[in-house]
């Protein structure tokens, strides 16, 4: 008679202790990304970890997985939706399965510079896009800059005709495919982790990247020429799983929101300097010749690539394109 009761008591005590221990377990946020640590996104992820673990000590633990070490860019979105990671920051070129509007950012020669990109991202239209995928369980927490893209190849690219017939690696984006088709080149979708080898073995002949991605992946070692084309932008949306985020204790969520805002400001302040530093390091490495375009040459590229806008205007929305163009005028 006594025995089972004691057993039951011990059991209840053990269960109680387990649930107490559970209550004290920190919430683990896995942040997975595909670039190196010394890049705007890599630094942003580390700063997020630092601030979250300082200000929510014991409540939140952040694990950062750089360089596609946990999930490559073909898999990270799926992993976020399945709850295998809680935060990622894919490039804006990687959202077309979830929203056609974000394709806006891939339109060639839409933004004159990163300041214009910044103005658009902070506009009501830009901020609206952060919330446009909540029905798909994706919440945007902010935009992080990397920077403007440069074209690279093993032959000098000065005019659009120089790109004819070359195979260019592109991110998983229909707009970027069309951009290269517009200059009669052959686009090839490839995940970021495969680009260096693809260039080295000649599976592709060229690519488009901001300086920080070129340098941190050593692409300059396998590309003889880099054209400073600034023809498009490669930025990120910091995203989380909507259900996960809304299920956080309110005090934790509001602190994390504050932290993501602070980190966003910091990443966007540092990104341009980081890219310019990497451009300098590439020059010093003397592996690649950097080609500057004359205004006329740049106009030729723009004229050749701009017809792509019309093809996607229906999916993106003419008003959104107008709002983005308006951001080229400083207020
Ligand atoms: C790429 O695939 O080129 C980029 O999206 C990688 C990155 O995250 O910067």
């Amino acid at each position: 008679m006594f025995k089972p009761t004691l057993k039951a008591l011990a059991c209840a005590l053990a269960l109680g202790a387990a649930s107490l221990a559970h209550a004290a377990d920190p919430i683990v946020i896995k942040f997975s990304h595909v670039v190196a640590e010394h890049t705007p996104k890599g630094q942003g992820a580390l700063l997020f970890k630092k601030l979250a673990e300082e200000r929510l000590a014991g409540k939140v633990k952040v694990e950062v997985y750089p360089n596609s070490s946990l999930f490559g860019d073909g898999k990270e979105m799926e992993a976020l939706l399945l709850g295998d990671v809680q935060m990622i920051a894919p490039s804006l070129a990687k959202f077309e399965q979830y929203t056609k509007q974000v394709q806006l950012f891939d339109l060639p020669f839409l933004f004159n510079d990163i300041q214009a990109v910044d103005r658009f991202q902070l506009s009501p239209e830009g901020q609206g896009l952060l919330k446009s995928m909540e029905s798909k369980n994706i919440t945007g927490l902010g935009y992080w800059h990397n920077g403007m893209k440069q074209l690279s190849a093993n032959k000098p690219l000065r005019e659009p005709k120089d790109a004819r017939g070359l195979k260019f690696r592109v991110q998983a984006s229909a707009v970027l495919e069309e951009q290269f088709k517009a200059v009669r080149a052959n686009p090839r979708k490839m995940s970021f982790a495969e680009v260096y080898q693809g260039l080295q073995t000649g599976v592709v002949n060229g690519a488009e990247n901001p300086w920080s991605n070129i340098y941190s992946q050593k692409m300059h070692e396998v590309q003889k020429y880099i054209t400073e084309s600034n023809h498009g932008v490669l930025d990120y949306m910091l995203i989380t799983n909507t259900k996960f985020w809304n299920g956080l204790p309110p005090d934790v969520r509001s602190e994390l929101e504050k932290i993501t805002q602070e980190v966003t400001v910091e990443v966007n302040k540092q990104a341009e300097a980081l890219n310019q530093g990497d451009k300098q390091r590439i020059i010093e490495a003397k592996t690649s010749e950097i080609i500057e375009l004359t205004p006329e040459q740049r106009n030729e590229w723009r004229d050749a690539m701009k017809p792509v806008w019309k093809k996607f205007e229906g999916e993106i929305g003419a008003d959104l394109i107008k709002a983005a163009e308006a951001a080229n005028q400083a207020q």
Side-chain angles (χ1 to χ4, degrees):
M1 286 292 279
F2 222 156
K3 254 190 177 172
T5 321
L6 254 188
K7 225 185 198 174
L9 195 66
C11 214
L13 276 175
L15 269 176
S19 75
L20 264 182
H22 188 72
D25 275 352
I27 296 161
V28 175
I29 297 181
K30 291 188 181 169
F31 190 143
S32 168
H33 67 80
V34 301
V35 290
E37 293 202 318
H38 196 73
T39 56
K41 180 161 60 180
Q43 294 291 294
L46 291 176
L47 181 60
F48 173 74
K49 173 181 168 68
K50 178 174 179 286
L51 297 182
E53 291 184 351
E54 266 169 26
R55 294 191 202 159
L56 293 164
K59 292 189 182 173
V60 167
K61 186 170 176 292
V62 181
E63 296 173 0
V64 179
Y65 298 91
N67 274 316
S68 308
S69 55
L70 189 59
F71 293 105
D73 58 12
K75 289 272 179 282
E76 63 179 17
M77 197 78 96
E78 218 177 288
L80 183 86
L81 293 173
L82 289 172
D84 291 337
V85 293
Q86 287 68 38
M87 277 173 112
I88 56 175
S91 108
L92 296 167
K94 294 173 184 168
F95 283 87
E96 69 182 33
Q97 274 185 49
Y98 305 93
T99 163
K100 296 292 179 200
Q101 287 180 304
V102 174
Q103 294 182 112
L104 171 84
F105 290 97
D106 284 345
L107 296 179
F109 293 97
L110 175 61
F111 297 107
N112 291 346
D113 48 33
I114 200 75
Q115 289 74 26
V117 177
D118 201 59
R119 282 192 290 273
F120 174 73
Q121 290 173 346
L122 293 173
S123 73
E125 291 85 355
Q127 291 293 301
L129 291 177
L130 295 176
K131 303 277 167 254
S132 65
M133 293 173 279
E134 296 206 328
S135 63
K136 310 233 162 82
N137 206 20
I138 297 170
T139 294
L141 298 166
Y143 293 102
W144 285 4
H145 294 324
N146 186 335
M148 302 304 281
K149 291 179 291 185
Q150 322 302 340
L151 290 166
S152 66
N154 276 326
K155 63 175 273 200
L157 302 173
R158 295 195 169 84
E159 297 166 27
K161 68 173 167 49
D162 299 329
R164 249 178 234 174
L166 294 186
K167 286 176 275 180
F168 281 89
R169 178 267 172 169
V170 288
Q171 302 176 75
S173 151
V175 177
L176 297 179
E177 280 187 307
E178 287 300 323
Q179 168 194 277
F180 282 108
K181 285 187 191 162
V183 293
R184 298 211 238 154
N186 302 316
R188 189 162 170 155
K189 288 183 184 168
M190 192 180 269
S191 70
F192 189 64
E194 292 170 354
V195 182
Y196 176 87
Q197 211 184 359
L199 290 168
Q200 191 186 35
T201 56
V203 173
V204 284
N205 315 113
E208 52 167 6
N209 283 284
W211 297 109
S212 67
N213 280 2
I214 298 175
Y215 183 73
S216 58
Q217 297 298 317
K218 300 187 168 53
M219 292 183 205
H220 58 294
E221 293 178 2
V222 287
Q223 295 278 263
K224 291 204 183 80
Y225 299 92
I226 304 172
T227 299
E228 190 161 28
S229 50
N230 292 310
H231 62 283
V233 65
L234 196 159
D235 266 14
Y236 307 109
M237 195 189 286
L238 174 67
I239 57 173
T240 185
N241 178 310
T242 308
K243 279 193 203 121
F244 163 77
W245 199 250
N246 292 343
L248 288 171
D251 59 322
V252 171
R253 187 174 59 236
S254 84
E255 191 57 43
L256 288 176
E257 258 155 17
K258 264 192 243 151
I259 292 170
T260 57
Q261 281 162 18
E262 281 176 48
V263 175
T264 297
V265 168
E266 200 50 35
V267 169
N268 292 347
K269 229 195 268 168
Q270 309 276 339
E272 176 70 2
L274 222 150
N275 271 290
Q276 289 309 317
D278 282 346
K279 175 186 169 187
Q280 222 36 55
R281 283 181 265 276
I282 292 170
I283 293 172
E284 281 154 25
K286 294 190 165 72
T287 49
S288 325
E289 182 185 328
I290 312 251
I291 298 171
E292 280 179 38
L293 297 176
T294 64
E296 293 73 26
Q297 286 170 333
R298 196 159 183 277
N299 283 342
E300 276 185 49
W301 286 94
R302 182 202 311 260
D303 292 347
M305 289 178 165
K306 207 171 155 184
V308 171
W309 294 24
K310 267 273 163 266
K311 293 197 176 165
F312 291 90
E313 191 183 280
E315 288 182 355
I316 295 170
D319 286 352
L320 203 57
I321 298 178
K322 258 202 210 107
E325 275 192 284
N328 284 318
Q329 315 299 325
Q331 311 300 318

